[in-house]
Amino acid sequence: MTGHFEVPGAADVADVADGADGVKVMDMADVVIVGGGAAGLAGAVTLARARRAVLVLDSGSPRNAPAAHMHGYLGHDGTSPADLLARGRAEAAGYGAVIRSGAAGTAIAADRLPDGGFLVRCADGSTVRAGRLLVATGLVDELPPVPGLRDRWGRDVLHCPYCHGWEVRDQPLAVLATGPVSVHQAQLWRQWSAHVTLLSHTWHLTEDDRELLAARGIAVAEGEVTGLAVAEDRLTGVVLAGGATVACQALVVAPRFTARSGVLTSLGLPTATVARNGHVIGTCVESDPATGATGLSGVWVAGNVTAPTETVAGAAAQGVRAAVALHSDLIEAETRRAVEARRARRAGLV
């Protein structure tokens, strides 16, 4: 692609055509948003309402897909994640944003253009030009290597008490110890149930740990966990290496939160490790916490790709904040070009 890339206005989007799959594919946009979760769609609605030409590339693989319900989002408590995203896509499309399914994920790469715009190569081989990028690709939950965890993830294998604690209140719960955060998890989940057991698994508990747990009435089960006990598609316990079973109706784990950063690393933006109590819990792409701006001009991030422990509501809020900052940046760039053009006209250069 050669020549100067002019960021178009919403009414001036060029080369919008029906793709082979019937989806309108835009090859020039003010903003390409990579990721169609809560953060990406909130940003899309904000930018489309600002009369920007917006294309959302959505892989259709949201992190919270296994969960039946979503909590902690005012006005949407109990809504399924799928329903929330369907509403978000409809809202964004209603303001003119184009949603392109099956085109996002780690297979997408983006290259800087000489004029400061971007060329996004999609998984299907097509390309899109963009003035700015908002990346909201989220993260992948890497679970401890215990057989059966992935199959029950988001159902009765859990990690967030604010998302699931109410639903398993007063039930027998077990917490899989894989690091220092697990002791904190056990104390946290004790708020929702008096029947909490910490599974020492492969983690060495200190005497201080044991004192804290005992003070809260949290039992400790020694031994490595080798599997899950399931009956009629319900978790009934965890199996220890010696053959014993610890009864529980939900198992709490601490996944490693790995940022889906492929499109960002292709631009040269590195990932950073995220640690709690000196223990690495995942990775992220660092950004300005107020605006989502990254270290690369023209690129913003929002949601779990930059804030691994953020909730759905918080991710949506980040998407809005990043969209506002990004829109302001576009206004500044357009104003600079308008001033330069005016000066050129007055000087008789054009």
Side-chain angles (χ1 to χ4, degrees), residues 53 58 125 127 180-181 187-188 203 205 207 219 225-226 229 238 263 274 280 284 309 319 329-330:
D58 181 17
T127 60
V181 71
Q187 296 175 72
L188 194 59
W203 185 254
L205 296 173
E207 290 304 313
V225 175
T226 57
V238 295
V263 67
V274 180
V280 175
C284 74
T309 59
D329 186 67
L330 282 171

Side-chain angles (χ1 to χ4, degrees), residues 281-327:
I281 64 169
T283 61
C284 74
V285 174
E286 295 181 325
S287 65
D288 184 315
T291 65
T294 69
L296 181 60
S297 177
V299 181
W300 280 258
V301 290
N304 290 140
V305 72
T306 188
T309 59
E310 191 58 271
T311 63
V312 176
Q318 284 195 351
V320 172
R321 288 197 298 268
V324 169
L326 188 158
H327 181 247

Side-chain angles (χ1 to χ4, degrees), residues 148-159:
L149 286 189
R150 177 58 62 182
D151 292 340
R152 309 207 64 80
W153 177 238
R155 300 162 63 195
D156 40 30
V157 174
L158 313 169
H159 84 284

Side-chain angles (χ1 to χ4, degrees), residues 6-7 13 31 53 55 65 76 80 85 98 111 117 121 123 153 155 157 170 221 231 238 269 272 279 287 296 302 348:
E6 288 287 336
V7 179
V13 180
V31 184
L55 173 63
H76 297 282
S80 78
L85 297 184
V98 174
D111 300 316
R121 296 196 181 99
W153 177 238
R155 300 162 63 195
V157 174
D170 300 325
V238 295
L269 284 165
H279 183 71
S287 65
L296 181 60

